[in-house]
Amino acid sequence: MTQQASHSNLQPAHDPAWRMRVTIILCSLVLLWPMLLITEFKPWQLIDAQSLGATWRFLSGFFPPAHSTEFLLIVLEATWQTIAIATAGLTLALLGAIPMTLIVNEHLSISRIGSGRMHGMARLLRQIVRWKLVLLRSVPELVWALLFVRLVGLGPTAGVFAIALTYAGMLGKVYAEILEANDAHATDSLLRNGSSRLTVFLYGALPNAAPELISYTIYRWECAIRGSVVMGFVGAGGLGQRMDESMKMLSGAEVSTMLIVFVLLVGIADLASKLFRKALA
């Protein structure tokens, strides 16, 4: 009891940081309120009688999930198509992102060796490629998919191109930041001894950054699977296109089955990512 009493006496009577916390909360609310008004955010609409009735009718159709052999074969084909869209799109994105990463990475700049400053043309080239990466990742894959559906028609090709363009911009930016965050001692030594940029990348920069690069690439593959499902709603094939057709026919049981498959796909991608990280640790 004596120890507890002495311990309680050591505690401050008031939180010394409460004014700052209250100020931050009030400022956040002041900034958030106009955003809620602009977005016409009205969560109470979810719990009025009409919305609750519609929600119940919609969700009650989800059970039991559709499980006929014919439908499961269709879902299996659409699932394989979704994986193929994500994998092919990400592969093309890598083919575009890796060369751009080598160009924008300042640690691989030969012109800065010795003087410490990059040549003017090299700096200009890097800025042009950086803005190209900005352009590619600024346009969401859904918008790219809409454009390619108009150009190449309905089907997986539009989804593959959409993922390739958007993810090339994302991968190029993040790869360059990961490589630049590592120690430049090894790359500088190789460049001073006359090694080519590709050799410096493979033997100086890549070994230290490989686990992080692979982990991020697998995460992007998981994102590509989710993205390919969304793009299916605009006609880019895969599970999304099948789900869109089932929703238009108000077939909740079929939608339920495809949602289960979608969750399993993301779970498998997450498990694969963990296994790769453990193997590389």
Side-chain angles (χ1 to χ4, degrees), residues 218 222 265-278:
I218 296 172
E222 178 187 324
L265 269 181
V266 175
I268 292 171
D270 184 59
L271 179 62
S273 176
K274 285 183 179 178
L275 292 176
F276 269 107
R277 281 198 296 267
K278 283 185 179 178

Side-chain angles (χ1 to χ4, degrees), residues 236-251:
L239 270 178
Q241 192 166 342
R242 291 291 178 187
M243 192 178 294
D244 182 42
E245 293 169 0
S246 296
M247 292 185 78
K248 286 176 179 174
M249 292 187 296
L250 302 177
S251 179

Side-chain angles (χ1 to χ4, degrees), residues 123-204:
R123 189 183 298 279
L124 176 62
L125 177 61
R126 280 176 174 75
Q127 287 302 319
I128 291 173
V129 177
R130 281 187 186 279
W131 277 105
K132 186 177 179 181
L133 292 173
V134 170
L135 171 65
L136 289 175
R137 67 175 184 273
S138 297
V139 181
E141 60 261 45
L142 185 61
V143 177
W144 282 122
L146 282 168
L147 292 174
F148 279 108
V149 163
R150 300 293 182 276
L151 294 176
V152 300
L154 297 173
T157 304
V160 171
F161 279 130
I163 289 177
L165 290 178
T166 305
Y167 283 41
M170 293 178 181
L171 291 171
K173 175 184 184 296
V174 177
Y175 283 177
E177 289 180 351
I178 291 173
L179 292 170
E180 288 176 356
N182 288 321
D183 187 6
H185 178 72
T187 55
D188 286 352
S189 298
L190 288 170
L191 286 174
R192 286 193 184 95
N193 286 285
S195 299
S196 66
R197 288 166 56 87
L198 184 58
T199 303
V200 172
F201 170 71
L202 293 176
Y203 296 100

Side-chain angles (χ1 to χ4, degrees), residues 201-238:
F201 170 71
L202 293 176
Y203 296 100
L206 191 58
N208 290 331
E212 199 170 352
L213 292 174
I214 292 174
S215 177
Y216 181 73
T217 305
I218 296 172
Y219 169 69
R220 272 295 146 202
W221 180 68
E222 178 187 324
C223 294
I225 289 177
R226 292 200 299 267
S228 62
V229 172
V230 174
M231 287 184 291
F233 283 83
V234 296

